[in-house]
Amino acid sequence: MQRLEKAEPVQYVLGVADFCDRQFFVAPGVLIPRPETAELCRFIEKDGGGDILDIGTGSGCIAITVALDVDNSQVTAWDISEDALGIARHNAQTLGAKVKFEKRDALALEVETGRWDVIVSNPPYICRKEADEMDENVLKYEPVTALFVPDDDPLLFYRHIMDYAVSALKQGGRLYYEINPIYADSIVDSLLALDFVDVAKFDDQYGKTRFIKATKP
């Protein structure tokens, strides 16, 4: 109760968060999985798997859920944080998911050709200027590096990931993003400029534009 009174998220106090009908271990080194992100996993499950890459895996919630729920999937997950990778590996082992975890920087990805059927990412997307509108329990306890991008470059991670995906996706491969709704149109325009096709926006359960899907021709 003392920790809760200091605005610490209940998930950190309990050490677990519910996500897609499973319990994931969480600690301050990773973001707490959100119900919106579960919807992103369901998009992938509906469309089918293959060789799947999760960039910025955090607790591993997306990668592990996809590995367990999407048939014929081979899942790799990247993160720059050793703390996050340790938690993600623990969750994969506990939940019986086969995921290959690697330490990689989303802002320094090497060019690859035709490696993935699916790339998915829920990257940092909140500008610093939006912090005043955020809850205290998020600002005080969740990892800053997983939340914020510079005010003058809100598409920083999206741009790097789509530049990588242009070549790294197989023909017909799909890119999925969780997004900040206020930048939805800018992300769509950037994807179209890179010749992605079937670029579509989707709302979350709260009616906010939260996801984008694009396909490599």
Side-chain angles (χ1 to χ4, degrees):
M1 290 302 298
Q2 290 175 336
R3 293 168 67 183
L4 292 173
E5 287 173 353
K6 295 179 181 178
E8 184 171 352
V10 64
Q11 293 91 340
Y12 288 158
V13 175
L14 297 177
V16 294
D18 293 325
F19 185 82
C20 289
D21 300 320
R22 298 182 179 93
Q23 282 198 329
F24 285 76
F25 169 69
V26 292
V30 297
L31 283 183
I32 297 166
R34 266 62 169 182
E36 302 95 305
T37 306
E39 298 180 63
L40 183 62
C41 295
R42 297 310 176 209
F43 280 124
I44 300 172
E45 183 179 357
K46 178 182 176 182
D47 293 339
D51 292 309
I52 300 173
L53 172 64
D54 174 24
I55 299 179
T57 195
S59 66
C61 62
I62 294 176
I64 292 167
T65 299
V66 170
L68 293 172
D69 292 348
V70 179
D71 293 336
N72 301 315
S73 60
Q74 300 81 42
V75 182
T76 301
W78 294 345
D79 206 290
I80 195 172
S81 166
E82 291 284 6
D83 289 342
L85 288 169
I87 290 171
R89 290 188 180 102
H90 171 81
N91 281 323
Q93 183 176 14
T94 301
L95 294 168
K98 186 177 180 181
V99 179
K100 182 179 181 182
F101 293 101
E102 298 177 353
K103 185 176 182 179
R104 297 284 293 272
D105 182 356
L107 302 181
L109 299 176
E110 298 177 1
V111 175
E112 296 185 281
T113 303
R115 182 175 177 185
W116 310 104
D117 295 292
V118 172
I119 296 176
V120 57
S121 186
N122 176 21
Y125 59 63
I126 302 171
C127 289
R128 292 281 182 175
K129 61 186 178 184
E130 299 176 68
D132 291 342
E133 304 171 13
M134 297 173 65
D135 293 334
E136 181 184 9
N137 60 344
V138 175
L139 289 173
K140 286 179 65 176
Y141 292 98
E142 298 200 62
V144 171
T145 55
L147 289 170
F148 292 109
V149 288
D151 287 345
D152 62 352
D153 196 2
L155 303 188
L156 175 64
F157 285 89
Y158 295 106
R159 188 176 65 253
H160 279 271
I161 293 168
M162 68 179 71
D163 286 346
Y164 171 75
V166 165
S167 59
L169 281 172
K170 300 175 185 177
Q171 185 175 6
R174 307 180 308 277
L175 174 63
Y176 299 85
Y177 281 140
E178 183 171 324
I179 67 166
N180 185 333
I182 63 178
Y183 300 115
D185 291 338
S186 297
I187 295 170
V188 168
D189 290 343
S190 296
L191 289 164
L192 292 172
L194 291 173
D195 296 326
F196 282 93
V197 298
D198 299 329
V199 180
K201 299 179 290 185
F202 300 93
D203 290 349
D204 63 18
Q205 59 187 314
Y206 306 112
K208 293 185 177 182
T209 303
R210 185 65 66 186
F211 312 108
I212 288 178
K213 173 186 171 184
T215 303
K216 179 179 177 178

